């Protein structure tokens, strides 16, 4: 476990070394990285098709890094990798992420969205889809660094074996996210 945490920490530190490179035609390709700390709290219930209902008591604390391309001042996309700790285990989401700034300027409303898959050791999750839409605000700290704060929802879709059949479940968590964009 310590080896995995050390490996993830080294990956996150190495991802901060992101530089813009010049393409052959002379135009700049703007590489970007956003690193995020997030926490989540389960909301609602999780219902099985046979009528059995469970309270969603999930809580999470996580770290995510996304490396990608900034197309312009408003739109960027990339691939994200994270680590989320739950009471009974961990989840490693691997996602395709987008970030949209809604206006130019020092302070801007933003929309972030991630979709992907995950690996986990949580016994109740087999592994399926991971969605993480959020909205919030971004502010410039310097010409090359922004700070953002968003709230949203994390939806973890999974299949679970229950009474010799497979049930589709959706765990929903309210999330608070904060991070830096380089």
């Amino acid at each position: 476990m310590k080896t995995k945490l050390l490996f993830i920490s080294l990956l996150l530190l190495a991802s901060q070394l992101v530089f813009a490179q010049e393409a052959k035609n002379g135009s700049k390709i703007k590489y970007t990285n956003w690193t995020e700390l997030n926490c989540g709290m389960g909301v609602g219930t999780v219902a099985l098709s046979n009528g059995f209902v469970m309270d969603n008591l999930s809580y999470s604390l996580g770290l995510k890094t996304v490396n990608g391309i900034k197309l312009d001042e408003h739109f960027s996309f990339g691939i994200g990798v994270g680590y989320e700790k739950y009471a009974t285990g961990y989840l490693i989401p691997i996602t395709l992420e987008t970030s949209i700034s809604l206006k130019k300027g020092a302070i801007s409303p933003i929309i972030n969205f991630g979709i992907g898959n995950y690996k986990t050791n949580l016994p109740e999750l087999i592994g399926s889809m991971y969605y993480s839409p959020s909205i919030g605000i971004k502010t410039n700290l310097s010409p090359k660094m922004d700070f953002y704060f968003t709230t949203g929802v994390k939806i973890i879709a999974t299949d679970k074996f229950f009474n010799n059949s497979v049930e589709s479940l959706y765990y929903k968590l309210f999330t608070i996210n904060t991070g830096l964009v380089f």
Side-chain angles (χ1 to χ4, degrees):
M1 182 66 173
K2 289 181 183 179
T3 306
K4 289 180 185 177
L5 287 175
L6 178 62
F7 179 71
I8 290 170
S9 298
L10 290 174
L11 282 176
L12 291 172
L13 288 174
S15 70
Q16 302 307 313
L17 303 173
V18 179
F19 300 98
Q21 298 177 4
E22 195 162 320
K24 290 182 180 181
N25 64 5
S27 67
K28 292 264 182 181
I29 297 173
K30 296 180 182 175
Y31 294 99
T32 186
N33 168 272
W34 61 95
T35 301
E36 173 180 290
L37 178 64
N38 59 64
C39 61
M41 179 181 71
V43 293
T45 59
V46 180
L48 299 174
S49 61
N50 66 359
F52 181 74
V53 177
M54 303 179 293
D55 286 332
N56 186 1
L57 300 175
S58 303
Y59 291 92
S60 69
L61 182 63
L63 188 63
K64 176 172 66 174
T65 185
V66 178
N67 289 303
I69 296 174
K70 187 173 186 175
L71 295 180
D72 59 24
E73 190 174 335
H74 297 288
F75 184 77
S76 57
F77 68 94
I79 296 178
V81 177
Y83 179 85
E84 297 175 5
K85 179 68 176 134
Y86 291 80
T88 58
Y90 65 86
L91 187 112
I92 299 174
I94 301 165
T95 56
L96 178 61
E97 300 278 339
T98 60
S99 181
I100 302 168
S101 295
L102 299 178
K103 70 176 211 168
K104 290 184 179 183
I107 299 175
S108 172
I110 60 169
I111 299 171
N112 292 342
F113 183 76
I115 184 171
N117 207 318
Y118 59 87
K119 298 295 178 195
T120 186
N121 72 340
L122 294 168
E124 65 269 21
L125 300 180
I126 295 171
S128 189
M129 294 299 291
Y130 180 96
Y131 310 93
S132 61
S134 63
I135 59 171
I137 194 160
K138 178 174 75 171
T139 184
N140 295 105
L141 296 177
S142 73
K144 293 189 177 188
M145 184 168 53
D146 297 328
F147 170 80
Y148 68 91
F149 178 84
T150 62
T151 60
V153 66
K154 184 184 323 177
I155 302 168
I156 302 168
T158 188
D159 293 326
K160 183 173 184 161
F161 292 107
F162 189 79
N163 290 338
N164 296 325
S165 66
V166 176
E167 299 281 348
S168 294
L169 303 175
Y170 297 93
Y171 290 88
K172 296 173 278 302
L173 290 91
F174 170 76
T175 61
I176 297 173
N177 317 295
T178 185
L180 296 173
V181 179
F182 301 95

